[in-house]
């Protein structure tokens, strides 16, 4: 039994009369979750039991598909019932209130009020049609019954609390007008609007860069101290667990296989799976490139400027300089790593290289100058330059089978002369990334995150391109899956001499895959050099800041 002394923290609104807590705030016991679709029955969680006490942070870790998010969503009864079902022995008690089979009225009084949740991807969790003020204000109208004037003042306070710069100017902003880190801060503000007793944070920092990640973790710790709330932290990043949590539960294939204090579990893991998680991290180095290797990509004076338009007639009053006068080259079989904070212009640079967004400057790929070509004239050259996006689920059509997705480019570029030849090329592409041929008949939602990323890579390499832009391809994946994808990319590069522009905020992954590194800040390249030189002897203060944030997170 854990004793949580609440008088050591500022007490939340629902805990004012308790000086000593001897029972858990959240208690999940014998939780079974199964999904029923026709004759198919899938067990997602089996006999799961965990406890969270007031004021503490508990981590739930495990690979993608292990049942972490299903367990968290069960706590708020947000699973798609009746497709999802609990066994009769399942119990979820919050402050002695049973939530399994609770009435909708009871659940509405709990959700977003006493228990709040931060989701992994804020861009898909925030309504793209509503402003920041409206989305945060909706929570206040529903639970606090504030009027519009009162709600606006409270929204500004919340944005200040989560350290959004110039909060009053952000009230009318839409999600797409914010950086990834800012969107995540807005999600945190929404979750904290009603001073919850329990915050469920589902991968809250996965998709942000190391400096923003460090800021968000520090923010969550500070807010926890101010509000006296408990946190159930769901993550695959063990560095985050070491920094944030006091206790940890390890989950595999729907079951809790180990639990204990973070220090004891990480220093002396008892289960083989826990040891595998702790030891899984990207390692190794890319194959050395030949000094005589030819240039595949050459970019000069590249600019991507977005106009700022205001007034009734939407006149341009300035520009957001996402990419500002950038020059670089990539040789055959070389990986150029591109690092920088959210909003620094990394993805804009990658998209501009492939002519997927408007830009100015010179772009040469495979000895072809493509910056002046029309979209129609550019089509034959698309075969040589491909892209793998950060979110494979968002970039794969849910209406197409995997075979259809991979075949699109093959058919478009006339690489398959007969249906049989097309089938063989699809099977070969899947085999290259370690997937079975029969998987071509399935749809994206039937695969895990790591498998979907392999499918995205298969779609790109099926065309045998000379150059691939990899835009955060491992950021949303578990550490063990990250290591597998990095090894796969190295093998494909060695086999086909592919050149990569590897965009990432994870410096450990960059170190394992890249030959050279460019550091980007506010649209400009502030430093460039070999991996060894950048990591061991950084010259620019911004590079030192990025490396320091990564080291600090890894050391805690």
């Amino acid at each position: 039994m854990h004793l949580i002394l609440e008088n050591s923290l500022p007490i939340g609104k629902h805990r004012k009369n308790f000086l000593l807590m001897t029972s858990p705030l959240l208690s999940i016991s014998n939780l079974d979750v199964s999904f029923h679709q026709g004759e198919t029955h899938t067990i997602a969680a089996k006999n799961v039991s965990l406890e969270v006490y007031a004021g503490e942070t508990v981590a739930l870790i495990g690979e993608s598909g292990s049942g972490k998010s299903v367990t968290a969503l069960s706590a708020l009864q947000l699973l798609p019932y009746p497709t999802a079902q609990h066994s009769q022995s399942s119990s979820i008690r919050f402050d002695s209130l049973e939530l399994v089979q609770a009435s909708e009225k009871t659940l509405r009084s709990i959700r977003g009020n006493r228990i709040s949740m931060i989701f992994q991807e804020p861009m898909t969790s925030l309504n793209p049609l509503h402003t920041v003020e409206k989305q945060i204000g909706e929570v206040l109208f529903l639970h606090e019954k504030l009027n519009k004037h009162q709600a606006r003042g409270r929204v500004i306070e919340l944005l200040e609390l989560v350290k959004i710069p110039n909060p009053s100017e952000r009230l009318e902003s839409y999600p797409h007008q914010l950086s990834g880190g800012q969107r995540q801060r807005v999600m945190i503000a929404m979750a904290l609007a009603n001073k919850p007793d329990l915050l469920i944070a589902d991968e809250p920092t996965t998709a942000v860069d190391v400096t923003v990640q460090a800021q968000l973790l520090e923010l969550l710790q500070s807010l926890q101290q101010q509000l006296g709330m408990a946190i159930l932290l769901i993550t695959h990043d063990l560095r985050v667990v070491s920094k944030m949590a006091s206790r940890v539960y390890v989950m595999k294939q729907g079951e809790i296989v180990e639990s204990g204090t973070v220090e004891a579990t990480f220093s002396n893991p008892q289960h083989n799976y826990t040891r595998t998680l702790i030891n899984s991290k990207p390692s190794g180095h890319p194959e050395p490139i030949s000094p005589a290797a030819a240039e595949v990509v050459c970019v000069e004076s590249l600019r991507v400027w977005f106009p700022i338009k205001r007034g009734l007639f939407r006149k341009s009053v300035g520009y957001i300089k996402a990419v500002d006068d950038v020059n670089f080259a990539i040789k055959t079989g070389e990986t150029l790593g591109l690092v920088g904070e959210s909003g620094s212009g990394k993805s804009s640079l990658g998209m501009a290289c492939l002519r997927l967004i408007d830009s100015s400057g010179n772009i040469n790929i495979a000895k072809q100058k493509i910056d002046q070509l029309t979209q129609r004239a550019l089509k034959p050259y698309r075969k040589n330059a491909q892209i793998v996006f950060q979110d494979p689920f968002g970039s794969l059509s849910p209406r197409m089978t995997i075979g259809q997705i991979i075949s699109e480019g093959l058919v478009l570029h006339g690489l398959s002369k007969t249906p049989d030849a097309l089938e063989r090329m699809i099977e070969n592409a899947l085999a290259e990334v370690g997937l079975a041929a029969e998987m071509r008949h399935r749809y994206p939602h039937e695969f895990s995150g790591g498998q979907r990323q392999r499918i995205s890579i298969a779609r790109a390499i099926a065309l045998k391109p000379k150059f691939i832009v990899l835009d955060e391809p491992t950021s949303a994946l578990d550490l063990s899956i990250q290591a597998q994808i990095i090894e796969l990319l190295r093998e494909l590069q060695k086999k086909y001499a592919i050149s990569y522009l590897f965009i990432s905020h994870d410096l450990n992954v960059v170190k394992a895959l890249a030959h050279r590194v460019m550091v980007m800040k506010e649209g400009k390249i502030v430093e460039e050099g070999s991996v060894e030189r950048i990591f061991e002897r950084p010259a620019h203060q911004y590079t030192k800041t990025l490396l320091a944030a990564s080291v600090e997170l890894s050391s805690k």
Side-chain angles (χ1 to χ4, degrees):
M1 180 73 69
H2 295 266
L3 298 181
I4 306 298
L5 291 172
E6 284 211 338
N7 57 350
S8 66
L9 296 172
I11 306 302
K13 64 179 180 180
H14 298 290
R15 292 290 174 191
K16 294 180 181 177
N17 298 322
F18 294 84
L19 296 178
L20 185 67
M21 288 299 298
T22 57
S23 59
L25 179 64
L26 176 70
S27 177
I28 298 176
S29 303
N30 305 315
L31 177 69
D32 295 318
V33 181
S34 57
F35 290 87
H36 301 260
Q37 191 73 39
E39 298 298 319
T40 304
H41 302 275
T42 304
I43 297 175
K46 183 179 180 182
N47 198 30
V48 172
S49 295
L50 63 83
E51 295 177 339
V52 182
Y53 287 78
E56 75 167 341
T57 299
V58 174
L60 181 60
I61 66 173
E63 291 181 307
S64 177
S66 62
K68 306 186 303 293
S69 294
V70 166
T71 301
L73 291 170
S74 294
L76 284 170
Q77 295 292 282
L78 289 176
L79 293 175
Y81 304 102
T83 302
Q85 296 180 12
H86 296 307
S87 66
Q88 291 184 348
S89 62
S90 298
S91 173
I92 302 172
R93 298 187 70 82
F94 175 73
D95 197 14
S96 72
L97 180 68
E98 180 60 57
L99 299 184
V100 176
Q101 303 299 328
S103 68
E104 277 300 314
K105 182 179 179 181
T106 298
L107 293 173
R108 281 196 299 269
S109 69
I110 295 291
R111 294 171 181 154
N113 188 28
R114 298 195 61 191
I115 304 177
S116 288
M117 189 164 184
I118 302 171
F119 295 95
Q120 178 175 351
E121 180 43 66
M123 196 60 185
T124 56
S125 303
L126 295 172
N127 191 321
L129 303 178
H130 291 170
T131 63
V132 167
E133 180 181 13
K134 184 168 183 179
Q135 299 198 54
I136 301 177
E138 187 176 25
V139 182
L140 298 169
F141 292 139
L142 181 63
H143 293 290
E144 300 289 341
K145 310 301 181 185
L146 301 185
N147 61 38
K148 188 174 182 180
H149 177 73
Q150 292 171 325
R152 170 169 281 224
R154 178 67 177 143
V155 170
I156 293 174
E157 287 179 8
L158 287 164
L159 293 178
E160 288 175 343
L161 189 68
V162 298
K163 296 179 170 48
I164 291 280
N166 306 314
S168 58
E169 297 177 12
R170 286 297 188 183
L171 294 177
E172 299 303 315
S173 296
Y174 291 87
H176 72 274
Q177 296 173 310
L178 305 175
S179 71
Q182 289 173 329
R183 286 194 291 265
Q184 198 63 287
R185 288 171 189 266
V186 170
M187 283 288 295
I188 294 172
M190 288 177 63
L192 300 180
N194 292 303
K195 301 178 183 177
D197 296 310
L198 173 64
L199 177 67
I200 299 174
D202 190 357
E203 302 280 10
T205 62
T206 295
V208 295
D209 51 76
V210 286
T211 52
V212 174
Q213 186 179 56
Q215 293 166 13
L216 287 175
L217 294 176
E218 185 179 338
L219 173 64
L220 282 174
Q221 287 180 316
S222 172
L223 294 173
Q224 182 179 34
Q225 292 292 316
Q226 292 179 48
L227 301 175
M229 65 184 176
I231 297 177
L232 176 59
L233 177 66
I234 299 168
T235 183
H236 65 254
D237 193 332
L238 304 190
R239 298 172 303 170
V240 173
V241 175
S242 297
K243 182 178 175 64
M244 292 286 293
S246 57
R247 293 190 298 116
V248 62
Y249 291 87
V250 183
M251 201 165 189
K252 179 186 180 184
Q253 295 178 350
E255 297 185 75
I256 301 293
V257 296
E258 186 167 355
S259 64
T261 65
V262 170
E263 183 179 359
T265 303
F266 284 9
S267 63
N268 187 27
Q270 300 300 303
H271 198 280
N272 286 336
Y273 180 67
T274 310
R275 285 192 284 270
T276 300
L277 288 179
I278 292 171
N279 295 328
S280 293
K281 61 180 181 179
S283 60
H285 302 282
E287 194 78 11
I289 59 171
S290 168
E295 284 186 355
V296 172
V297 180
C298 182
V299 172
E300 297 174 336
S301 304
L302 186 67
R303 290 184 177 183
V304 179
W305 290 12
F306 298 109
I308 302 171
K309 297 185 178 183
R310 291 180 182 154
L312 181 63
F313 298 102
R314 309 300 292 164
K315 290 185 178 180
S316 295
V317 296
Y319 294 90
I320 297 172
K321 299 179 181 180
V323 180
D324 193 17
D325 200 24
V326 169
N327 304 278
F328 66 90
I330 306 177
K331 293 184 177 182
T332 300
E334 182 182 28
T335 298
L336 176 61
L338 181 61
V339 301
E341 291 181 308
S342 174
S344 61
K346 305 186 301 297
S347 292
S348 294
L349 188 152
M351 301 276 275
C353 288
L354 303 183
R355 291 286 310 279
L356 296 176
I357 57 175
D358 291 336
S359 63
S360 63
N362 300 317
I363 305 171
N364 287 270
I365 297 179
K367 300 181 180 180
Q368 172 64 44
K369 183 175 170 59
I370 67 170
D371 51 88
Q372 297 299 320
L373 296 179
T374 64
Q375 289 299 319
R376 181 183 292 273
L378 190 62
K379 181 180 172 182
Y381 302 100
R382 294 273 185 215
K383 172 182 170 296
N384 285 325
Q386 292 291 302
I387 187 168
V388 176
F389 293 98
Q390 176 178 350
D391 177 15
F393 193 65
S395 63
L396 300 175
S397 173
R399 294 186 175 90
M400 298 172 68
T401 65
I402 302 310
Q404 291 170 333
I405 288 170
I406 295 174
S407 70
E408 257 194 318
L410 296 170
V411 172
L412 185 66
H413 291 285
L415 299 180
S416 57
K417 303 302 181 183
T418 66
D420 287 343
L422 180 61
E423 283 295 305
R424 285 195 298 273
M425 295 178 87
I426 293 169
E427 291 174 6
N428 289 339
L430 288 172
E432 293 273 23
V433 298
L435 296 177
E438 58 267 20
M439 289 183 175
R440 68 189 186 279
H441 302 299
R442 292 160 60 183
Y443 291 85
H445 72 273
E446 298 179 74
F447 294 89
S448 69
Q451 288 174 321
R452 285 196 289 263
Q453 199 59 285
R454 287 175 182 268
I455 292 164
S456 295
I457 295 170
R459 175 175 60 181
I461 63 148
L463 300 175
K464 300 296 185 288
K466 299 181 184 299
F467 173 54
I468 299 179
V469 174
L470 301 162
D471 191 359
E472 301 276 13
T474 63
S475 66
L477 304 177
D478 311 312
L479 289 177
S480 58
I481 306 300
Q482 277 187 11
Q484 294 170 21
I485 295 296
I486 293 302
E487 185 60 35
L488 170 64
L489 289 170
R490 280 200 293 246
E491 289 174 2
L492 292 172
Q493 184 174 56
K494 181 180 179 180
K495 186 174 183 179
Y496 296 112
I498 306 171
S499 302
Y500 296 141
L501 175 62
F502 184 72
I503 301 169
S504 180
H505 65 256
D506 191 328
L507 300 185
N508 292 317
V509 174
V510 171
K511 193 173 183 179
L513 187 64
H515 297 88
R516 290 186 298 120
V517 180
M518 290 195 308
V519 183
M520 196 168 191
K521 177 178 172 61
E522 296 175 352
K524 291 184 176 291
I525 303 301
V526 297
E527 187 166 4
E528 180 181 356
S530 68
V531 167
E532 292 77 13
R533 207 276 296 166
I534 293 292
F535 277 81
E536 295 174 11
R537 300 182 304 280
H540 197 278
Q541 183 56 45
Y542 180 66
T543 310
K544 294 176 182 178
T545 301
L546 287 177
L547 290 169
S550 180
V551 170
E552 179 186 4
L553 195 60
S554 298
S555 63
K556 292 189 177 182

